Amino acid sequence: MRILVVSTPVGALGSGRGGGVEITALALVAGLLDRGHRLTVLAAEGSRLPESCSGAVIWGERGTDQPSWQHRPRNAPVELPADALLGRLWRRALTHQAGFDVILNLAYDWLPLWLTPHTATPLAHLVSMGSVAAVMDAVIAEIARSHPRHLAFHTAAQAADFDLPQPPRLVGNGFDLSRYQFQAEPEPLLGWAGRIAPEKGLEDAAAAAARLGLPLVVWGLEEDAAYARRVEALVPPGTIHWRGFLPTERLQAELGRCAVLLNTPKWNEAFGNVVVEALACGVPVAAYARGGPAELVQDGVTGVLAEPDDVDALVAAVRRARGLDRRRCRAWVEAHCSQQAFAARIEDWLSALVEGHR
Ligand code: UDP
């Protein structure tokens, strides 16, 4: 298939501003190239693709980023800034659609979803978040009724947020596991990774680390600096070791040294890339039983699930997780989250859509 992948209108690929969508995009592109498809990636100017994606053509567009839906009020209307990147991306996609068999949208935005019935080339959407805005819920529900085969979700917990008349297509996510090294021997460190923003619940992980008397190493883009300072003030000085946003190569090398990764979402996390990335390095995960992480962590095998928002339960989960077999963490990821398996699931979905369209 000739596939046009339209990336997020929040940040260039490689900047970290797009969150988990960036890893998804790279795994998709590399995995589909391996399967013999022809890929063009339309993304914000300045986007970088790794060597594994060198067979893809990249088209850059300038323009102003979209505000992230998860940081807007639930009833906020659709907003387009002047000179919007989103508008430019979709103008380019529509202009060139005849050159592709399918367009794959990775943006969690109203405009591409609304376009679904109006394109000549079938338009598929990999929905990257759960419910965060009423207008997005409505357009997803509308497309789920009129064009159900055009939608896919990462996990059942995510899809359950939406009003879907049919069982959803679930594709999980995928990772180039050759980039993550297994580390058998941990150090007495706890880890936490993600965008530093309130929906990610860093405060609970910091409180648990303080209670356990262990340092919490934190990797990720500081999206909300005031929030980061508030979290820091809640725990004894020195509890949090801020490491900033690191590229995968360095992130995985540091992450692998941790005894346990804490994952403490306050929202219905759609997937939870960092959970899989930790497991790939052999790091068991103590996570709130909420959203994607509750489907990814095998309770008592690759990690321990705790009652959401309960720091006592999280502390107990970390203690138990420290005793788990790190090899089983890596083995689970190899069996379920490889880039190859993910690309095969995406291929199934897109080829059924293209066939149906013909
Ligand atoms: N990440 C990274 N470097 C860092 C911290 C995080 O590359 O220092 C990446 C991580 O690999 C993951 C993404 O940021 O793919 C966060 O994705 P996740 O699904 O956990 O959450 P989201 O940001 O999409 O809500």
Side-chain angles (χ1 to χ4, degrees), residues 55-89:
V57 174
I58 182 147
W59 290 347
E61 272 295 339
R62 61 177 186 80
T64 306
D65 277 16
Q66 282 303 113
S68 298
W69 274 110
Q70 69 269 30
H71 300 141
R72 304 189 61 213
R74 173 161 280 278
N75 287 317
V78 175
E79 188 175 287
L80 280 168
D83 197 26
L85 174 60
L86 183 68
R88 288 177 166 275
L89 290 173

Side-chain angles (χ1 to χ4, degrees), residues 41 96 100 125 148 159 164 175 220 238 291-292 298 307 311-312 333 346 349:
V41 180
H96 295 280
F100 297 93
H125 309 274
L164 309 175
F175 299 79
Q298 310 303 291
E307 180 66 32
V311 174
D312 290 338
V333 169
I346 296 289
W349 169 41

Side-chain angles (χ1 to χ4, degrees), residues 16 18-24 70 128-129 173 175 180 193-195 199-200 219-221 243-248 251 263 267 269 271-275 277:
V21 174
E22 296 193 22
I23 284 256
T24 303
Q70 69 269 30
S128 62
M129 291 196 284
N173 213 347
F175 299 79
Y180 299 84
R195 290 177 295 104
E199 68 272 17
K200 294 294 194 172
W219 301 272
L221 191 80
R243 300 288 299 130
F245 180 82
L246 301 185
T248 300
L251 172 67
N263 192 256
W267 67 344
E269 185 76 53
F271 186 78
N273 284 357
V274 297
V275 169
E277 293 176 279

